[in-house]
């Protein structure tokens, strides 16, 4: 399972209702079933991935985050997860709004376009950067809205979303040490992970976030 999915699983309480948007082959769903006894299900736009997940007995259906979340009722889930998909949707702000309508909390992970190596490649070569995460040519990438950690903090502030927990990590799963310094995390974190709730709602105390590396 991908590193960011392991970190996301550490943000979810046992027995929760979870919707994983852009779930791929359902690796996170299977993990939540097996280890946390969650009622987890997924939505995936790629039919080949949906077929793989269903073949393994996982409750995954084909759907588009940009258009299909409006069909879910309010507060249908405890957590709605969007892992490494925010930068690929057409309307990221609306997708987040729908996530925090149908879920008590939202968990979002995304590759950080503000990482120093991407800045350096763009400055030194004048071309779109390539890394293990941003690993496709600009004309082939599905990423249409590159995002930085700093951008995401600003979006949450403007939309009234409370950031209950956040972290920056590298591709090996090591957490960046700048947990209280978003500007440094924006420079040195390869990916950002956020646990959100809507400020206008009143909820119980969030679960204690565990570190799967321990």
């Amino acid at each position: 399972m991908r590193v960011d999915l392991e970190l996301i699983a550490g943000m979810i309480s046992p027995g929760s209702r979870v919707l994983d948007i852009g779930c791929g082959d359902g690796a996170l769903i299977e993990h939540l079933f097996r280890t946390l006894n969650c009622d987890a299900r997924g939505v995936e736009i790629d039919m080949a991935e949906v077929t793989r997940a269903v073949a393994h007995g996982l409750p995954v259906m084909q759907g588009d985050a940009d258009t299909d979340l409006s069909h879910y009722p309010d507060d249908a889930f405890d957590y709605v997860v969007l892992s490494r998909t925010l930068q690929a949707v057409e309307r990221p702000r609306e997708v987040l709004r729908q996530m925090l309508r149908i879920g008590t909390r939202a968990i979002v992970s995304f590759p950080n376009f503000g990482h120093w190596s991407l800045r350096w490649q763009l400055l030194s070569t004048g071309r779109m950067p390539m890394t293990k995460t941003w690993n496709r040519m600009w004309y082939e990438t599905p990423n249409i809205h590159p995002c930085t950690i700093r951008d995401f903090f600003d979006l949450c502030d403007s939309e009234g979303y409370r950031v209950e927990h956040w972290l920056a990590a590298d591709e090996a799963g090591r957490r960046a040490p700048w947990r209280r310094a978003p500007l440094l995390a924006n420079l040195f974190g390869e990916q950002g992970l956020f646990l959100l709730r809507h400020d206008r709602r009143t909820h119980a105390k969030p679960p204690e976030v565990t570190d799967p590396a321990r």
Side-chain angles (χ1 to χ4, degrees):
M1 193 165 65
R2 279 194 335 242
V3 165
D4 64 309
L5 298 182
E6 293 180 2
L7 294 170
I8 286 170
M11 297 180 175
I12 295 175
S13 297
S16 300
R17 300 166 299 163
V18 182
L19 177 65
D20 185 6
I21 303 168
C23 64
D25 63 1
L28 177 61
I29 295 171
E30 184 177 20
H31 178 79
L32 295 175
F33 278 149
R34 187 178 67 252
T35 65
L36 295 177
N37 194 32
C38 289
D39 176 8
R41 60 198 66 192
V43 175
E44 171 57 46
I45 196 170
D46 186 337
M47 192 60 199
E49 294 280 37
V50 173
T51 301
R52 289 176 59 191
V54 172
H56 284 86
L58 299 174
V60 174
M61 62 182 295
Q62 187 179 30
D64 187 336
D66 279 306
T67 59
D68 294 338
L69 297 185
S70 60
H71 300 154
Y72 290 90
D74 294 356
D75 300 312
F77 301 94
D78 299 307
Y79 298 90
V80 180
V81 176
L82 190 73
S83 59
R84 292 193 184 179
T85 304
L86 182 70
Q87 73 282 354
V89 299
E90 292 184 4
R91 301 181 298 162
R93 187 169 64 171
E94 178 61 22
V95 169
L96 284 173
R97 286 175 178 170
Q98 291 292 339
M99 289 173 66
L100 283 163
R101 178 187 63 80
I102 66 178
T104 301
R105 290 182 172 87
I107 301 177
V108 182
S109 72
F110 54 88
N112 175 32
F113 201 70
H115 189 265
W116 70 267
S117 65
L118 299 176
R119 302 187 195 199
W120 173 247
Q121 287 184 50
L122 190 58
L123 177 65
S124 61
T125 68
R127 302 175 65 183
M128 288 299 292
M130 296 279 288
T131 68
K132 288 182 179 180
T133 303
W134 303 89
N135 59 357
R136 298 188 189 181
M137 294 299 293
W138 63 269
Y139 47 81
E140 295 178 336
T141 179
N143 301 320
I144 57 178
H145 290 112
C147 177
T148 73
I149 290 174
R150 187 175 180 183
D151 286 329
F152 195 77
F153 269 112
D154 289 344
L155 177 60
C156 291
D157 184 63
S158 66
E159 294 293 308
Y161 302 149
R162 175 70 58 85
V163 177
E164 292 190 337
H165 180 72
W166 70 275
L167 61 92
D170 65 16
E171 286 300 302
R174 292 183 294 266
R175 296 186 178 199
W178 309 283
R179 298 186 186 185
R180 299 186 183 278
L183 291 180
L184 289 177
N186 193 50
L187 184 60
F188 295 108
E190 290 183 302
Q191 57 184 319
L193 292 93
F194 286 75
L195 173 64
L196 309 175
R197 71 170 175 83
H198 203 293
D199 243 355
R200 289 192 294 269
R201 295 182 178 182
T202 301
H203 294 305
K205 182 180 179 181
E208 181 180 352
V209 176
T210 58
D211 188 341
R214 291 179 181 174

